[in-house]
Amino acid sequence: MMTEQKKPIVEIKNLYKSYHRASLVVPVLYDITFDIAEGEFLALMGPSGSGKTTLLNLIAGIDKVDEGTIHVGDVDITTLSETELAAWRANSVGFIFQFYNLIPVLKAVENVELPLHLTTLSKSKRREHAEIALAMVGLDHRMDHYPGEMSGGEQQRVAIARAIVTDPTILVADEPTGDLDRASAEEILSMMERLNRDMGKTIIMVTHDPRAASRASVMRHLDKGYLNHDAAQNPL
Amino acid sequence: MMLLKILFRNAFHNKLRSSLTILGIAVAILAFGLLRTVVSSFYAGVEAASASRLVTRNAISIIFPLPISYTEKIRQVEGVKMVSYGNWFGGIYINEKNFFPNFCVEPRTYFALYPEFVLEERQKKEFLADRKGAVAGQKLAAKFGWKIGDTITLKGTIYPGNWDFVLRAIYTGRDNTVDQTQFFFHWTYLNEAVKKRAPVFAEQVGFYMVGVNRPDVAADTAVMIDKTFKNSLAETLTETEKAFNLGFIAMSEAIVTAIQMVSFIVIFIIMAVVANTMAMTTRERTGDYAIMKTLGFGAKDITILIFGEALVITLTGGLIGIILTFPAARIFGQELATYFPVFLVSAQTIYMDVAAALIIAFLAAIIPTRHAIRIRIADGLRRIG
Ligand SMILES: Nc1ncnc2c1ncn2[C@@H]1O[C@H](COP(=O)(O)OP(=O)(O)OP(=O)(O)O)[C@@H](O)[C@H]1O
Ligand SMILES: [Mg+2]
């Protein structure tokens, strides 16, 4: 209950989204309104096709709304141009996806460094930050390995390191454990939990795995594009 | 820097595919370079022609001669500096396969008009002193292993019988664009023999070689020469050496055009191949580009990645092709020395090679780049699964 006292870091108001396929309009999200508090670990759940990924992409600024507003911090990201949005993403959002999404020709440490190339950090600072981030996910000994030489769990940890290296405002994760075995999934979830608890990171995680969702502080359900309004607070 | 790292590694990520593409480009550029060299070799004689030389021949046809008595009259035309003359001899050395151009000329003036044929002073003197003396180009002498002092026998075709010459001099070229496969001997040697056997054919020349004072008014000089012999028994046709040489290759021009077209078709085909390869590799990397855009990289960065990769591949292939062109042209030139006395890869051919490689890269990269930039991030990410 204590999260509700904090000022929301994300405010979503009356959001609508549909896709256009040929002449067909496919409505995906209807009138979504909710807040995410700073330091919240939100699990977004729902059946396949309910619009979870779409909603997450809108919050993370990689897709455009049809209607409605999304405030992240003080910025209404729905008013930003494509270029402004890119710069905003580079600054404010850390991304973790289901399929690791590392650049295969870059070593682990180079992958983690990648987003820092859009900052003004010096070469040595970039390397330093990347090494710290890798150490935080326990992979400092695998720095020079290419993604292809690592297990799925390890690759996902590199992706987490890349997501946190810029110290973003929010972390978004789309089924981060969806492609992992149980043990690796637990490891990833614990890592995210720690990021949330110890470092106060706001995390928005899409999942349809109840066990994954149970690690979150708040759960919300999407069903056929509608948000179930009774958000469940995790008893923890 | 980091983009460079990615694009270089991308270019060689799929080793088999990259190697095959590079090999294809190298072969295409090699073929293109050789074909272009064949084309320019066709025109080598034209290119080597001097603007200060005119050729005067019988107006009816090159196969009809002119009287030797024209020498003095031509010399008196305004603007004429020097007059030489000669006949196409058409002799065969041992057998027809050993074709090389052979002429009898008035040697003193002829070599004065051709400063690009470089003769050693002592050899030149000995040649001029010997009635049966002959001069051969260095490449020709090397081909048959001739040495100074050797007796060389040519079988006459226009002038029947066996003709013996003594090789007195070997000329080299002032530069490597000079044809060094020709053979010259004294016009008087031929004329004396003809006088004895068939006097009606004596005192005649096949062509006059005319040196002019001012190349810029050479055309006027040519007109004046022809005017001098208007309404005489043998009217003349005078043209610049360039025009004269062009006349010889006019017949084969259609072939040259065909070769030129083939050279462009080769480039066109490899362009399609490289475009296809680039389309394939970039489609496989749709997710990578989407991730980079997600992280905040822009259209410019994606453009650098894809164009850079295409450039790395085509320029690597192009460079290998260009490097191979030189030894290939040397072998080609040696084998075909009879047809192409000068077979040199020109600087222009290399520029065209480079231009072709750049155009291939550009055209192969443009559509994938457009696609990678336009695709929505969300759609790009979906492709990964
Ligand atoms: N680019 C698109 N064009 C058309 N329809 C789309 C597009 N992207 C998604 N959709 C549709 O929107 C709906 C919601 O998709 P979304 O990916 O957000 O679902 P999801 O809840 O993440 O599902 P899953 O659990 O399977 O990942 C689906 O019906 C999907 O087919
Ligand atoms: Mg999804």
Side-chain angles (χ1 to χ4, degrees):
Chain A
M1 303 292 152
M2 44 186 282
T3 48
E4 268 170 15
Q5 269 81 52
K6 291 182 189 166
K7 179 190 177 295
I9 191 100
V10 181
E11 286 176 89
I12 298 159
K13 281 208 181 77
N14 309 110
L15 185 151
Y16 289 82
K17 175 72 181 175
S18 49
Y19 287 112
H20 301 260
R21 198 182 286 152
S23 59
L24 222 68
V25 178
V26 188
V28 180
L29 297 172
Y30 304 89
D31 197 15
I32 307 282
T33 299
F34 72 102
D35 294 343
I36 301 167
E38 186 163 6
E40 189 171 306
F41 186 172
L42 171 67
L44 217 76
M45 304 191 61
S48 187
S50 56
K52 305 181 297 294
T53 295
T54 306
L55 181 56
L56 190 75
N57 286 349
L58 290 172
I59 298 170
I62 55 179
D63 211 346
K64 288 284 208 175
V65 300
D66 290 348
E67 252 181 78
T69 58
I70 302 169
H71 279 87
V72 180
D74 300 324
V75 190
D76 179 0
I77 62 166
T78 58
T79 64
L80 298 182
S81 73
E82 204 69 46
T83 336
E84 290 168 334
L85 209 50
W88 174 79
R89 280 198 307 271
N91 253 312
S92 316
V93 190
F95 293 88
I96 305 159
F97 297 96
Q98 180 174 358
F99 299 106
Y100 329 125
N101 280 328
L102 302 175
I103 305 295
V105 298
L106 293 181
K107 296 170 183 168
V109 69
E110 291 168 337
N111 263 292
V112 177
E113 262 187 86
L114 190 56
L116 295 178
H117 283 274
L118 294 168
T119 67
T120 53
L121 285 183
S122 70
K123 190 179 166 162
S124 56
K125 280 280 170 214
R126 286 200 301 261
R127 183 51 61 115
E128 196 183 312
H129 286 216
E131 286 175 2
I132 292 170
L134 270 178
M136 283 170 72
V137 298
L139 282 178
D140 34 348
H141 61 295
R142 306 295 299 270
M143 279 203 302
D144 291 327
H145 288 228
Y146 287 94
E149 301 164 348
M150 287 186 277
S151 73
E154 286 165 340
Q155 289 185 52
Q156 196 59 303
R157 277 149 70 189
V158 175
I160 292 174
R162 184 182 65 190
I164 59 174
V165 75
T166 54
D167 193 21
T169 318
I170 55 173
L171 276 182
V172 300
D174 195 348
E175 315 234 18
T177 58
D179 205 43
L180 298 177
D181 60 60
R182 200 61 244 166
S184 306
E186 288 300 333
E187 202 172 31
I188 295 297
L189 289 166
S190 303
M191 205 159 277
M192 292 176 67
E193 218 173 359
R194 272 204 307 280
L195 286 173
N196 172 250
R197 203 181 46 220
D198 302 345
M199 300 178 62
K201 288 278 163 213
T202 306
I203 302 178
I204 308 157
M205 175 177 72
V206 163
T207 184
H208 45 215
D209 174 5
R211 274 206 271 185
S214 71
R215 303 294 194 104
S217 55
V218 178
M219 279 188 257
R220 288 185 184 275
H221 286 266
L222 265 179
D223 198 358
K224 296 190 179 114
Y226 291 96
L227 190 71
N228 247 335
H229 275 272
D230 40 340
Q233 300 296 324
N234 196 307
L236 294 177
Chain B
M1 263 324 285
M2 184 266 331
L3 288 179
L4 280 185
K5 196 184 283 176
I6 296 179
L7 72 86
F8 265 98
R9 292 189 193 164
N10 275 349
F12 300 105
H13 192 52
N14 188 330
K15 293 201 175 55
L16 179 65
R17 187 191 293 167
S18 309
S19 321
L20 288 175
T21 310
I22 288 171
L23 178 71
I25 297 164
V27 170
I29 290 291
L30 172 63
F32 181 75
L34 287 178
L35 291 172
R36 303 297 314 171
T37 306
V38 167
V39 171
S40 56
S41 302
F42 255 100
Y43 292 101
V46 178
E47 289 305 316
S50 162
S52 61
R53 289 193 293 255
L54 299 173
V55 182
T56 301
R57 51 140 168 132
N58 191 303
I60 300 165
S61 162
I62 183 76
I63 62 167
F64 293 106
L66 293 168
I68 185 76
S69 58
Y70 282 13
T71 313
E72 231 5 81
K73 288 182 193 148
I74 294 175
R75 213 197 312 271
Q76 276 156 23
V77 172
E78 195 190 323
V80 172
K81 193 165 88 180
M82 188 183 286
V83 181
S84 188
Y85 50 81
N87 288 51
W88 172 254
F89 180 66
I92 292 167
Y93 180 63
I94 303 174
N95 68 48
E96 267 144 34
K97 266 191 243 141
N98 298 328
F99 173 86
F100 54 83
N102 45 82
F103 305 90
C104 63
V105 296
E106 196 298 297
R108 255 166 266 271
T109 46
Y110 195 84
F111 286 101
L113 282 173
Y114 278 90
E116 58 262 52
F117 294 155
V118 180
L119 289 152
E120 224 175 81
E121 210 42 57
R122 202 171 44 83
Q123 290 184 8
K124 189 176 178 181
K125 251 187 218 135
E126 276 164 17
F127 161 63
L128 292 175
D130 183 355
R131 206 173 53 86
K132 295 176 78 170
V135 182
Q138 184 165 46
K139 279 189 194 164
L140 183 66
K143 182 176 177 186
F144 297 115
W146 295 339
K147 289 177 300 296
I148 301 290
D150 283 2
T151 296
I152 295 156
T153 307
L154 297 187
K155 191 152 21 108
T157 50
I158 306 167
Y159 308 94
N162 282 333
W163 300 71
D164 288 339
F165 305 98
V166 182
L167 190 66
R168 291 297 179 198
I170 292 174
Y171 74 86
T172 55
R174 187 177 49 195
D175 56 55
N176 54 12
T177 64
V178 174
D179 181 355
Q180 294 172 48
T181 67
Q182 302 188 33
F183 183 93
F184 302 98
F185 59 93
H186 293 264
W187 181 84
T188 43
Y189 178 43
L190 180 80
N191 194 51
E192 279 162 22
V194 170
K195 225 188 276 181
K196 270 183 226 144
R197 298 186 209 167
V200 276
F201 296 118
E203 308 298 331
Q204 287 179 338
V205 305
F207 57 87
Y208 283 99
M209 214 62 223
V210 183
V212 298
N213 287 320
R214 289 178 50 194
D216 51 322
V217 294
D220 300 336
T221 311
V223 170
M224 276 193 284
I225 293 172
D226 291 343
K227 220 179 256 170
T228 312
F229 303 107
K230 195 100 198 138
N231 300 322
S232 65
L233 210 55
E235 294 194 349
T236 61
L237 177 69
T238 304
E239 50 196 351
T240 59
E241 186 184 20
K242 196 175 211 132
F244 180 76
N245 288 352
L246 256 180
F248 275 100
I249 58 170
M251 290 175 293
S252 25
E253 239 176 352
I255 297 169
V256 178
T257 310
I259 292 172
Q260 228 154 356
M261 271 166 63
V262 170
S263 75
F264 287 118
I265 289 170
V266 168
I267 293 300
F268 187 77
I269 291 170
I270 196 67
M271 207 180 290
V273 171
V274 177
N276 181 51
T277 308
M278 277 313 287
M280 255 158 62
T281 38
T282 52
R283 194 169 314 123
E284 284 164 13
R285 282 199 250 288
T286 304
D288 290 9
Y289 302 134
I291 267 293
M292 292 198 63
K293 288 204 279 185
T294 303
L295 294 178
F297 288 90
K300 197 188 86 196
D301 303 301
I302 304 297
T303 308
I304 292 174
L305 280 185
I306 299 178
F307 270 78
E309 183 177 346
L311 277 173
V312 167
I313 299 229
T314 50
L315 290 182
T316 306
L319 188 69
I320 296 171
I322 288 171
I323 291 171
L324 291 180
T325 304
F326 290 95
R330 201 172 313 127
I331 295 166
F332 220 77
Q334 273 160 13
E335 295 301 313
L336 298 177
T338 315
Y339 308 101
F340 303 116
V342 176
F343 196 82
L344 288 174
V345 182
S346 68
Q348 202 203 347
T349 297
I350 301 303
Y351 298 149
M352 287 184 79
D353 281 343
V354 174
L358 291 177
I359 290 169
I360 292 169
F362 185 82
L363 291 181
I366 192 153
I367 291 169
T369 303
R370 235 174 65 123
H371 182 255
I373 287 175
R374 284 197 177 173
I375 189 169
R376 293 169 55 250
I377 295 176
D379 293 336
L381 290 174
R382 270 174 216 279
R383 294 278 187 89
I384 297 171

